């Protein structure tokens, strides 16, 4: 919305040709700045990974050996894709006791690539690394590992870059109310790409651990209810914003269940080469 408003305002003030020239100049400057930043990152790392290692090392000695093995598998898989994976536990930060905590990340995981480097941060909730949730953890880690696939990473960065450029151009060249149509179209494109990436990662995880998919959402159910109860009525529509990136739970469960039923057949076809 901000990019479309920027393009529309620039076009209204200076005309389409000048607005387009200004945008092209900004894109060129951003590329030059990004190239300079990448060279500085290589020479002067912005994160001291050696000092951060102590936080990561706090995770493994206190968890069950099977949990440590599952985490180690993710690190090995990332290394095979030329990424250095750093895994950190997420604990309660809202100040409430466990029974009232509303920190969603404690029951989930998230992958965060560090721009301009081959480092990836994987945040894993402290409730997810409990031995009782081992199969759920394996499913979630398999999903997060899929995000490190080269095609997934490329699609993510292309989505962010292309959508920004298209949004500004839509604002520059769309007169009047057609800006709203451009906004709706970009929003639909963003949701489509985001859902496709998430579903692809779900399929990857369901191939090996699809049976744990329902247990993952069951595990999340109490915390989701607590988060909803903690919000006021006018804040609750904000709970719909994750759907801009993540498909509905019911759709993901159906897809995981279907892939899980097919996984023995797929594995057999791979062994026979058919």
């Amino acid at each position: 919305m901000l990019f479309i408003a920027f393009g529309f305002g620039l076009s209204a003030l200076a005309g389409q040709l000048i607005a387009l020239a200004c945008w092209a100049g900004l894109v060129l400057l951003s590329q030059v700045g990004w190239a300079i930043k990448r060279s500085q990152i290589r020479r002067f790392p912005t994160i001291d990974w050696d000092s951060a290692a102590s936080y990561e090392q706090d995770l493994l000695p206190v968890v069950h050996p099977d949990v440590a093995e599952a985490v180690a598998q993710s690190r090995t898989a990332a290394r095979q894709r030329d990424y250095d994976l750093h895994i950190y536990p997420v604990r309660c930060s809202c100040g409430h006791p466990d029974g009232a905590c509303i920190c969603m990340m404690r029951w989930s995981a998230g992958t965060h690539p560090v721009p301009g480097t081959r480092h990836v941060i994987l945040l894993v909730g402290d409730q997810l690394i409990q031995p009782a949730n081992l199969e759920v953890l394996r499913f979630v880690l398999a999903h997060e590992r899929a995000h490190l696939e080269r095609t997934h990473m490329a699609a993510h960065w292309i989505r962010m870059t292309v959508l920004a450029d298209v949004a500004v151009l839509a604002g520059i060249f769309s007169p009047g109310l057609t800006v709203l149509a451009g906004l709706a179209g970009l929003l639909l494109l963003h949701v489509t790409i985001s859902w496709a990436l998430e579903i692809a990662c779900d399929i990857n995880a369901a191939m090996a651990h699809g049976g744990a998919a329902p247990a993952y959402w069951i595990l999340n159910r109490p915390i989701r209810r607590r988060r909803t109860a903690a919000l006021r009525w006018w804040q609750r529509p904000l709970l719909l914003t994750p759907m801009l990136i993540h498909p509905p739970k019911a759709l993901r469960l159906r897809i995981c269940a279907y892939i899980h039923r097919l996984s023995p057949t797929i594995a057999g076809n791979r062994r026979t080469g058919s």
Side-chain angles (χ1 to χ4, degrees):
M1 292 175 65
L2 289 175
F3 277 113
I4 288 180
F6 171 75
F8 183 74
L10 196 60
S11 178
L13 290 173
Q16 289 183 349
L17 290 178
I18 295 178
L20 186 60
C22 290
W23 176 242
L26 288 174
V27 170
L28 178 61
L29 287 175
S30 68
Q31 293 302 312
V32 172
W34 177 244
I36 294 174
K37 183 178 180 180
R38 288 193 67 176
S39 64
Q40 290 178 341
I41 287 174
R42 291 191 184 99
R43 289 183 295 167
F44 308 105
T46 56
I47 298 177
D48 184 355
W49 296 107
D50 291 334
S51 65
S54 61
Y55 295 95
E56 186 176 10
Q57 291 167 359
D58 290 341
L59 169 66
L60 296 182
V62 297
V63 298
H64 191 275
D66 291 339
V67 173
E69 180 185 358
V71 171
Q73 289 175 355
S74 290
R75 184 179 286 110
T76 301
R79 194 174 294 117
Q80 291 172 349
R81 299 184 178 114
D82 199 26
Y83 286 103
D84 195 359
L85 189 67
H86 306 269
I87 304 172
Y88 302 100
V90 179
R91 300 182 178 91
C92 181
S93 60
C94 65
H96 296 93
D98 281 349
C101 180
I102 58 173
C103 299
M104 187 66 196
M105 278 300 300
R106 296 184 66 196
W107 282 264
S108 58
T111 302
H112 306 276
V114 180
T117 72
R118 302 298 294 181
H119 293 278
V120 177
I121 294 175
L122 174 62
L123 301 178
V124 183
D126 62 342
Q127 296 300 308
L128 197 60
I129 57 177
Q130 300 300 317
N133 301 325
L134 178 59
E135 288 305 311
V136 173
L137 173 66
R138 287 173 174 161
F139 171 80
V140 174
L141 290 180
H143 174 99
E144 296 302 322
R145 285 198 299 271
H147 279 298
L148 299 181
E149 293 282 355
R150 185 168 299 177
T151 52
H152 287 256
M153 296 290 285
H156 169 73
W157 295 118
I158 290 173
R159 174 188 62 178
M160 302 303 293
T161 303
V162 171
L163 286 180
D165 291 335
V166 173
V168 174
L169 293 176
I172 291 176
F173 291 107
S174 298
L177 293 178
T178 55
V179 173
L180 297 179
L183 174 61
L186 283 173
L187 185 62
L188 180 61
L189 179 62
H190 170 74
V191 171
T192 301
I193 296 175
S194 300
W195 284 22
L197 289 175
E198 289 299 322
I199 289 174
C201 292
D202 280 342
I203 290 174
N204 186 284
M207 292 281 290
H209 308 288
Y216 171 63
W217 275 283
I218 291 174
L219 183 68
N220 278 267
R221 190 179 298 163
I223 182 64
R224 292 181 186 274
R225 289 176 176 172
R226 287 200 294 270
R227 290 187 71 195
T228 302
L231 296 175
R232 298 179 180 179
W233 66 268
W234 53 271
Q235 293 174 316
R236 293 187 180 183
L238 295 175
L239 296 174
L240 298 176
T241 55
M243 290 187 64
L244 296 176
I245 300 177
H246 296 90
K249 177 184 67 176
L251 175 62
R252 299 178 70 179
L253 279 171
R254 285 181 178 271
I255 291 174
C256 287
Y258 179 72
I259 295 298
H260 181 56
R261 288 197 301 268
L262 288 181
S263 57
T265 303
I266 296 174
N269 290 339
R270 285 180 175 176
R271 285 194 297 267
T272 58
S274 59

